Amino acid sequence: MRTRVLTVVLAFAVLAVAGFAVPLLGVTATQRTEQLVAARTADLDRFAGLAGQAAVSGDTGALTAEVTRYTELYGEAVVVVDARRAPVAQTGGMRAADPAVARLVDAALRNQPLSPGGTLRPWSRGDKLLARPVGTGTRVSGAVVLRASVRAAADDIALRWALVLAGAGLFAVACLLLARAATRWVVRPLHRLDRAVGALAAGLPAEHAREGGPPELRQLATGFNRMADAVSTALEQQRRLVADTSHQLRNPLAALRLRIDSLQPRLPDAAIRTYTGVTAELERMEHLLDDLLALAHAEHRAGELAVTDEREVCCDATAVAAAQTRLWHPVAEQAGIHLEFSPGPAVRTTCAEGELAQLADILLDNAIKYAGSGARVRTRCFAEGRDAVFEVRDDGPGLAEGELPQAGIRFWRSERHREVRGSGLGLAIAEQLVAGRGGRVEFAAAEPHGLRVRVLLPRAAHGAPASKGRRA
C-alpha cells in the first residue's frame, strides 16, 4: 500500500515540477536568445551608420578600423558591401561571395526584414548570421552582415537550465520526503494492525496495535485492541481446557489400565473376551487423545507459518519418502501388505524433514490399515510443475466417488471401515501440516480400484538451506 501511495504522490509531484520547469526552461532560452540578437543588432546598427557615413564621404578608413577592432575583440566576422555588392570591409575569414552571406546581402539590399530565427539551446554550437541594410528605406546604399558566435549564449543557457533543474530536483526531493513522511504516518499503523490481526488469526498471543496516524486509524486500533483482548481470553481458555482435559484424562486412563491389567490373572476364562474389549477401547481412547493433541499442534503450527512465512527450510522429499517407506516395511509385512517405493531423482521441497516424515507416516498408516491383506501399496516422489508431489497409491477397496470429498473431514470414516482401529483424524492432521507450508492434499480413485493420495508442496528454490529436522 505504501508503494502505491508513494507512486501516486510522486506522479503528481513530477507533473507539478514538469508543469513549471518545462515552460521556465523555454522562457530562459528565449530570453537569452533575444539578448544575443538585440546586442548584435545594436552592433549592426553602429556598423550601418559608419558605412552610411563612408558612402557619403568616400572615406572607408574609420569603418574598416572599427570592423577590424570588433573582430579582434570578439572574434566575430563582419562583411560590409556597397549598393553594387562590392566588398567594402571583410574580416574574420567571411567573404561576401559566400552563398549564405550573398543571400543575406541580396535581402538587405532589397530592404527585406530579416530574422535570425530559432531559439538557442545548451547544445547549440553553430553561428548565427545577421544582416542590416545601410541607409534608409527609400535609399539603400549597402549592407552589413555579421556572424555571431552562440557558444557563450548557449553556455549561459546551460547554466540557467542547470539552476532550474536543480531547483526542480530539490522540490521533487522535498515532495518525496514529505510523501514518505505522510504515507509512513498513515500506513505504519496499518502494518502494525495487519501483524496483530495475523497473529490473532493464527491463534498466537495477541499483540496490541499501537495507536497512531489519523483519528480514524486510532479509533480502529482501539476497537481492535478491545476485540483482541476478548478473543485472546477465549483462545487462552480454550488452550487451558485442552491441556487440562488432556492431563486429567491421561491420569485416569493410565490408572484404569493398571487396574484392569492387574485383574487379568484373576479373571475366569469366560471374562477374557470382555477384558479384551475393554483394553481395546482403552487403546482407542488413548489413540484418540494423542491424535487430538497432534491435530491441535498441527493447527497451531499452520497458524505460525501463515503469520511468519517461515518457508526457508527445505529437504529432499525423495530421500525422506524412501526412508519412511523402509521404516513401515515390517508393519506392512505383518499386515500382509506388499509395500514398495519407486525410486526417482531428488526433489527438494519447502518443508522440514520432520514434518514431511510425519505426513508420510500418516499416509502409509492409512494405506496399510484400510487397503486390506494382500493389497499392494506403492509410494513415489516426483516433481510436477512448481510442486513436489509425494504419492501413496493402493489397490485396496478405496472409497466411493461420493466419499472422496469427505476423506479429510475430522472424525469421518467410511461405513466399511468402522471396525478398523483409528480416530479419523490422521488425514485432517496431514491437511493442516500441508496447508501451513502452502500445499494441499488430493484424494482420487486409483485404477482399476483403490485410493490415490497426493501431497503437493511448493518446490524449494535452488540453493535453499536444508532442514535439520529429525526424520520420524
Side-chain angles (χ1 to χ4, degrees):
M1 178 178 178
R2 182 179 180 182
T3 303
R4 292 192 293 270
V5 173
L6 277 176
T7 302
V8 173
V9 173
L10 288 180
F12 280 112
V14 169
L15 291 177
V17 169
F20 79 82
V22 173
L24 185 58
L25 294 176
V27 169
T28 301
T30 301
Q31 287 179 346
R32 187 62 182 87
T33 302
E34 291 175 351
Q35 290 175 3
L36 174 66
V37 173
R40 298 304 181 268
T41 301
D43 294 334
L44 285 173
D45 290 341
R46 182 160 55 88
F47 294 145
L50 293 174
Q53 295 176 5
V56 173
S57 65
D59 183 9
T60 61
L63 173 63
T64 303
E66 185 67 19
V67 169
T68 302
R69 284 195 300 270
Y70 179 87
T71 301
E72 291 175 350
L73 182 62
Y74 298 107
E76 297 180 347
V78 179
V79 171
V80 181
V81 298
D82 57 16
R84 297 186 299 276
R85 297 179 177 81
V88 176
Q90 298 183 131
T91 61
M94 187 170 64
R95 297 291 179 265
D98 294 341
V101 176
R103 285 195 297 271
L104 290 176
V105 168
D106 291 341
L109 292 177
R110 291 194 296 271
N111 202 21
Q112 293 180 349
L114 301 174
S115 174
T119 302
L120 297 179
R121 295 291 184 266
W123 51 87
S124 299
R125 285 296 179 266
D127 296 328
K128 281 185 174 293
L129 292 177
L130 296 89
R132 171 76 165 80
V134 177
T136 63
T138 57
R139 180 179 176 83
V140 177
S141 60
V144 181
V145 179
L146 185 147
R147 185 175 63 193
S149 174
V150 301
R151 182 178 296 274
D155 292 341
D156 289 344
I157 294 174
L159 177 60
R160 297 179 184 181
W161 278 26
L163 294 176
V164 171
L165 293 177
L170 291 176
F171 180 77
V173 171
C175 289
L176 174 61
L177 296 177
L178 181 62
R180 284 175 60 88
T183 53
R184 185 184 298 112
W185 181 62
V186 174
V187 174
R188 181 177 291 176
L190 292 178
H191 286 321
R192 292 196 294 261
L193 188 62
D194 180 64
R195 288 195 300 269
V197 170
L200 186 64
L204 301 178
E207 175 187 351
H208 273 202
R210 288 182 294 173
E211 298 179 3
E216 295 81 3
L217 288 181
R218 293 198 295 269
Q219 183 178 359
L220 177 62
T222 302
F224 170 80
N225 290 335
R226 289 197 297 266
M227 180 196 69
D229 290 337
V231 173
S232 297
T233 301
L235 290 175
E236 183 61 27
Q237 291 175 349
Q238 182 182 4
R239 291 192 188 98
R240 290 181 180 177
L241 176 63
V242 172
D244 294 343
T245 301
S246 170
H247 178 72
Q248 296 299 326
L249 283 177
R250 283 184 180 278
N251 290 338
L253 283 176
L256 183 60
R257 175 174 284 279
L258 287 174
R259 291 174 182 176
I260 290 176
D261 289 342
S262 65
L263 290 176
Q264 182 182 10
R266 301 180 178 85
L267 292 176
D269 294 340
I272 296 299
R273 182 176 180 182
T274 302
Y275 168 79
T276 303
V278 171
T279 55
E281 289 299 320
L282 281 174
E283 290 179 358
R284 179 172 174 273
M285 291 179 67
E286 290 173 347
H287 284 299
L288 178 59
L289 182 59
D290 291 338
D291 287 346
L292 281 173
L293 293 176
L295 178 61
H297 175 73
E299 290 178 339
H300 184 71
R301 180 61 177 158
E304 286 182 337
L305 292 173
V307 175
T308 61
D309 197 23
E310 182 191 332
R311 298 180 185 174
E312 293 82 3
V313 297
C314 68
C315 67
D316 184 354
T318 304
V320 175
Q324 295 307 115
T325 303
R326 286 194 299 270
L327 290 177
W328 280 87
H329 263 296
V331 180
E333 290 178 357
Q334 187 177 2
I337 302 292
H338 180 69
L339 179 61
E340 62 182 37
F341 176 77
S342 301
V347 180
R348 300 183 68 79
T349 180
T350 56
C351 184
E353 286 189 11
E355 294 174 359
L356 187 57
Q358 186 178 0
L359 288 169
D361 290 342
I362 293 172
L363 299 187
L364 291 171
D365 180 49
N366 273 272
I368 292 172
K369 280 195 303 187
Y370 298 116
S373 180
R376 181 185 298 270
V377 177
R378 303 182 185 88
T379 63
R380 63 178 181 141
C381 193
F382 57 94
E384 184 177 273
R386 297 183 177 180
D387 295 323
V389 182
F390 173 57
E391 180 182 276
V392 177
R393 180 195 298 258
D394 66 71
D395 56 3
L399 296 174
E401 184 176 353
E403 295 176 331
L404 290 174
Q406 306 178 66
I409 298 178
R410 301 175 185 181
F411 301 108
W412 182 86
R413 301 177 73 188
S414 174
E415 293 295 333
R416 301 191 304 275
H417 302 146
R418 290 294 180 182
E419 301 302 324
V420 180
R421 180 178 61 87
S423 62
L425 291 175
L427 295 178
I429 295 172
E431 287 192 329
Q432 289 296 325
L433 291 172
V434 172
R437 292 293 179 180
R440 64 187 186 277
V441 181
E442 295 179 348
F443 306 96
E447 295 296 337
H449 53 81
L451 180 66
R452 185 189 69 179
V453 184
R454 289 164 29 113
V455 173
L456 291 87
L457 291 164
R459 293 172 63 186
H462 180 71
S467 167
K468 302 298 183 181
R470 174 184 61 85
R471 289 186 183 176

